[in-house]
Amino acid sequence: MEKFDIHILGCGSALPTLRHNASSQIVNVREKLFMIDCGEGTQVHLRRSRLRFNRLNHIFISHLHGDHCFGLMGLISTFGMLERTAQLHIHAHPELERILKPQLAFFCNGLPFDVVFHPIDPAKREIIYDDRSASVETIPLKHRMPTCGFLFREKPTANHIRRDMIDCYEIPLYMINRIKNGEDYVTADGKVIPNEKLTFPADPPRSYAYCSDTVYLPRITEQIEGVDLLFHEATFGEDNAARARKTQHSTAAQAARIALEAKVKRLVIGHFSARYEDEKVLLEEAKAIFPHTMLANENLTISI
Amino acid sequence: MEKFDIHILGCGSALPTLRHNASSQIVNVREKLFMIDCGEGTQVHLRRSRLRFNRLNHIFISHLHGDHCFGLMGLISTFGMLERTAQLHIHAHPELERILKPQLAFFCNGLPFDVVFHPIDPAKREIIYDDRSASVETIPLKHRMPTCGFLFREKPTANHIRRDMIDCYEIPLYMINRIKNGEDYVTADGKVIPNEKLTFPADPPRSYAYCSDTVYLPRITEQIEGVDLLFHEATFGEDNAARARKTQHSTAAQAARIALEAKVKRLVIGHFSARYEDEKVLLEEAKAIFPHTMLANENLTISI
């Protein structure tokens, strides 16, 4: 199966600790890398991951709190020193361009590549990226400032061809891709072999939803229904439910309730408050509601 | 002896690596902390050092390359979350204020403390900070943009009083500090005991010079003559002497020549290029010229 991996580079919340980095993830879809959020230090954590910098062309920023975007300048500046030439696309609230442009002009004068800003309207659900392998859709969230999550959907893949049928009908090489893509095969003596007989169905397209930062927001369950993996913020536990409401974050139990309602396959929780020395309590609270839950952690890679 | 410690938080050069952080140091003079430079990630490295955030009130920025200042926003933002109320003073080229102000307005709205900018003219040698314990003087340097180093000079301390003399003349408690500060003592029967007889001379005031980034600049030796510790950048070795000239950095041998000329007591070299997997070669090149050389390293503390 082709790659669809999530690499957690940072899963702490606003106050950095020695245990967790500021928010950032890499989504690897068929060897194309997409970054979600870029907190301070992300470039170093990306280097530690040993993922290849030059496969990263798109960065999606959920919202403009510092712990989700303070790493951008360092990352861009380093890409410049490494003599990157490919455009770097940043999808974010339009305010980010206004804030970053003067910094880029001052610190990254003569950058050998273009930084292309793509404004997002976080209040709107729309497809903001689309290629042959995947699409990315915004998930409107509710936090202390305009915020959206991101829904990555893999494009359907071609059917698998049956090796035994290739041999049986002596199917020539040039026909293989056409059959994978749905054509029937006509033999030399004019016999039509229907596609269903020649192929297994493709793997169902996979999907990943990133929802951070946000209050408990049941309306998102419709949009993320049935995703293979949901990352949902769980800044607090039940002991801080009031604080979660006040700061417009979620508790682990609320993240689990979203996962349950949306019938997702797996849940990974993160964006942990610095006050938890050990996030096991968050895991237990979530698992009591949605058993297929795991804790995010730095250097964790989840294959979908 | 009272504290005069240098804590290296980062001693890499522009391209961050997994071995070295971007530039930052803490100078602890009698429990007052001064930061020099603040590359990306500094707040986390400061936390790792276990130094107390609230003892830091002054930050000195040598020049406005990203690897010396990209950590400021994260640090300030975290200080805000920790509910700091004391003013934070930033001494830097005036352009920094122009660049940071819009970011502070956007990301740190409602900060519970003031960030006070103090413009530096890096071309001028002048005292930019002065209190009872120490003064800080700029050291004009030469790099690809306006840059200065910083010379920390401890203020003279009081003489040490001789315990045996206290007993001998039954000197009352209230006189101790006055004698330490130079007064003679008059006994009950009117005899004058001269101060020299009652005290040992104070420890000579200590000093620290930070010179980074810079080309080899022999004119600084006059200003930093005899300092107890010199931090001098040594981005390259002799194998890259031409590159050092071109990028306006120094080699390890040049750093050592400065130390030798200036008759400093000890030299610590840093700001290592990412190309050196092991800086021993730099150490050897420097030691051949100035034996009292050591390599900077993350988490290294040097007591003066």
Side-chain angles (χ1 to χ4, degrees), chain B residues 26-243:
Chain B
I26 295 284
V27 183
N28 179 345
V29 185
R30 305 180 190 170
E31 299 303 348
K32 276 185 193 153
L33 305 184
F34 304 90
M35 180 177 281
I36 305 174
D37 287 339
C38 186
E40 186 177 356
T42 291
Q43 61 162 324
V44 174
H45 312 135
L46 179 59
R47 195 177 282 268
R48 189 167 288 123
S49 76
R50 305 207 172 276
L51 291 164
R52 286 169 61 188
F53 285 20
N54 61 1
R55 295 213 177 256
L56 173 64
N57 295 312
H58 290 267
I59 301 177
F60 300 88
I61 303 293
S62 63
H63 67 297
L64 304 186
H65 276 153
D67 57 321
H68 294 254
C69 63
F70 279 168
L72 281 170
M73 279 305 301
L75 185 76
I76 293 169
S77 166
T78 291
F79 281 177
M81 284 183 277
L82 295 174
E83 288 167 18
R84 177 192 179 101
T85 52
Q87 292 186 330
L88 183 68
H89 299 271
I90 301 183
H91 305 260
H93 189 284
E95 278 288 289
L96 185 69
E97 180 171 4
R98 187 184 65 78
I99 295 285
L100 274 193
K101 273 273 171 87
Q103 293 181 65
L104 287 170
F106 186 82
F107 290 111
C108 299
N109 192 10
L111 209 59
F113 64 96
D114 289 329
V115 179
V116 185
F117 290 90
H118 301 269
I120 288 179
D121 177 357
K124 248 169 83 183
R125 172 177 162 176
E126 60 185 334
I127 290 173
I128 55 171
Y129 177 85
D130 191 71
D131 72 10
R132 287 190 312 173
S133 320
S135 67
V136 181
E137 193 179 311
T138 47
I139 307 169
L141 298 174
K142 190 165 175 248
H143 188 47
R144 301 195 305 274
M145 61 157 54
T147 304
C148 64
F150 302 103
L151 175 55
F152 286 74
R153 285 192 189 282
E154 186 185 31
K155 290 290 172 68
T157 47
N159 287 339
H160 301 290
I161 199 156
R162 290 179 56 166
R163 296 244 138 240
D164 55 344
M165 293 295 120
I166 297 178
D167 298 342
C168 171
Y169 294 107
E170 292 179 339
I171 298 172
L173 198 60
Y174 75 91
M175 276 303 296
I176 302 288
N177 267 330
R178 290 164 63 174
I179 293 171
K180 279 185 179 175
N181 287 311
E183 275 191 37
D184 298 333
Y185 179 60
V186 185
T187 59
D189 51 0
K191 194 176 162 195
V192 175
I193 317 294
N195 189 273
E196 306 86 78
K197 210 175 157 188
L198 301 171
T199 58
F200 298 117
D203 304 307
R206 295 160 292 177
S207 51
Y208 172 60
Y210 173 90
C211 298
S212 185
D213 300 355
T214 187
V215 292
Y216 172 62
L217 203 62
R219 70 161 151 74
I220 65 174
T221 55
E222 179 257 323
Q223 186 180 359
I224 63 173
E225 189 170 338
V227 296
D228 294 276
L229 182 68
L230 165 64
F231 176 93
H232 196 289
E233 74 130 290
T235 309
F236 298 107
E238 286 310 294
D239 56 332
N240 280 287
R243 177 173 290 268

Side-chain angles (χ1 to χ4, degrees), chain A residues 274-285:
Chain A
R275 74 192 60 214
Y276 298 99
E277 280 288 324
D278 181 344
E279 293 88 13
K280 261 187 208 149
V281 56
L282 303 180
L283 182 64
E284 279 159 21
E285 287 175 8

Side-chain angles (χ1 to χ4, degrees), chain A residues 209-282:
Chain A
Y210 174 89
C211 297
S212 185
D213 299 354
T214 187
V215 293
Y216 173 60
L217 201 62
R219 69 161 152 75
I220 65 172
T221 55
E222 180 257 324
Q223 187 181 358
I224 63 173
E225 188 172 339
V227 296
D228 293 274
L229 182 68
L230 166 65
F231 176 93
H232 196 289
E233 74 130 291
T235 308
F236 298 108
E238 285 310 294
D239 56 333
N240 279 286
R243 178 173 290 268
R245 251 191 318 279
K246 193 182 149 208
T247 56
Q248 304 198 19
H249 284 296
S250 302
T251 63
Q254 289 171 331
R257 236 167 274 141
I258 295 290
L260 185 72
E261 273 294 304
K263 301 180 189 71
V264 310
K265 297 212 179 69
R266 284 190 292 169
L267 168 68
V268 52
I269 55 174
H271 200 267
F272 306 123
S273 163
R275 74 192 60 214
Y276 298 99
E277 280 288 324
D278 181 344
E279 293 88 13
K280 261 187 208 149
V281 56
L282 303 180

Side-chain angles (χ1 to χ4, degrees), chain A:
Chain A
M1 200 144 51
E2 289 191 279
K3 230 169 221 176
F4 194 154
D5 289 351
I6 315 301
H7 300 262
I8 311 281
L9 302 182
C11 60
S13 63
L15 206 59
T17 63
L18 299 182
R19 291 174 300 111
H20 293 301
N21 307 326
S23 292
S24 187
Q25 302 190 356
I26 295 284
V27 182
N28 179 345
V29 186
R30 305 180 190 171
E31 299 303 348
K32 274 185 194 152
L33 305 184
F34 303 90
M35 181 177 280
I36 305 175
D37 287 338
C38 186
E40 186 178 355
T42 291
Q43 61 162 323
V44 173
H45 312 135
L46 179 58
R47 196 178 283 268
R48 190 166 287 123
S49 77
R50 305 208 173 275
L51 291 164
R52 286 168 61 188
F53 284 20
N54 61 1
R55 295 213 178 257
L56 172 64
N57 295 312
H58 290 267
I59 301 177
F60 300 88
I61 303 292
S62 63
H63 67 298
L64 304 187
H65 276 153
D67 58 320
H68 293 254
C69 63
F70 279 167
L72 280 170
M73 278 305 301
L75 186 76
I76 293 170
S77 166
T78 291
F79 281 177
M81 284 184 275
L82 296 173
E83 289 167 15
R84 179 192 177 100
T85 53
Q87 291 186 331
L88 183 69
H89 300 270
I90 301 182
H91 306 259
H93 189 283
E95 278 288 288
L96 185 68
E97 180 172 5
R98 186 183 67 77
I99 295 286
L100 274 192
K101 273 275 172 89
Q103 294 182 64
L104 288 171
F106 186 82
F107 290 111
C108 300
N109 192 12
L111 208 60
F113 65 95
D114 290 330
V115 178
V116 185
F117 289 91
H118 301 268
I120 288 179
D121 177 356
K124 248 169 83 184
R125 172 177 164 177
E126 61 185 332
I127 290 174
I128 55 171
Y129 177 85
D130 191 70
D131 72 9
R132 287 190 311 174
S133 319
S135 68
V136 181
E137 193 178 311
T138 47
I139 307 169
L141 298 174
K142 189 163 174 248
H143 188 46
R144 303 195 305 275
M145 60 155 55
T147 303
C148 64
F150 302 103
L151 175 54
F152 286 73
R153 286 192 188 281
E154 187 185 31
K155 290 290 171 70
T157 47
N159 287 340
H160 301 291
I161 200 156
R162 292 179 54 168
R163 296 245 139 240
D164 56 344
M165 291 295 120
I166 296 177
D167 299 339
C168 170
Y169 295 106
E170 292 178 340
I171 298 171
L173 198 62
Y174 75 90
M175 277 303 297
I176 302 288
N177 266 329
R178 290 163 63 174
I179 292 170
K180 280 184 177 175
N181 286 311
E183 276 190 35
D184 296 335
Y185 179 60
V186 185
T187 58
D189 52 359
K191 192 175 163 196
V192 175
I193 317 294
N195 189 273
E196 307 85 77
K197 209 174 157 188
L198 302 171
T199 59
F200 297 118
D203 303 308
R206 294 161 292 178
S207 51
Y208 171 59
Y210 174 89
C211 297
S212 185
D213 299 354
T214 187
V215 293
Y216 173 60
L217 201 62
R219 69 161 152 75
I220 65 172
T221 55
E222 180 257 324
Q223 187 181 358
I224 63 173
E225 188 172 339
V227 296
D228 293 274
L229 182 68
L230 166 65
F231 176 93
H232 196 289
E233 74 130 291
T235 308
F236 298 108
E238 285 310 294
D239 56 333
N240 279 286
R243 178 173 290 268
R245 251 191 318 279
K246 193 182 149 208
T247 56
Q248 304 198 19
H249 284 296
S250 302
T251 63
Q254 289 171 331
R257 236 167 274 141
I258 295 290
L260 185 72
E261 273 294 304
K263 301 180 189 71
V264 310
K265 297 212 179 69
R266 284 190 292 169
L267 168 68
V268 52
I269 55 174
H271 200 267
F272 306 123
S273 163
R275 74 192 60 214
Y276 298 99
E277 280 288 324
D278 181 344
E279 293 88 13
K280 261 187 208 149
V281 56
L282 303 180
L283 182 64
E284 279 159 21
E285 287 175 8
K287 276 188 147 179
I289 294 164
F290 187 80
H292 296 299
T293 303
M294 70 181 116
L295 290 173
N297 204 358
E298 278 67 17
N299 307 319
L300 175 68
T301 299
I302 309 168
S303 293
I304 302 182

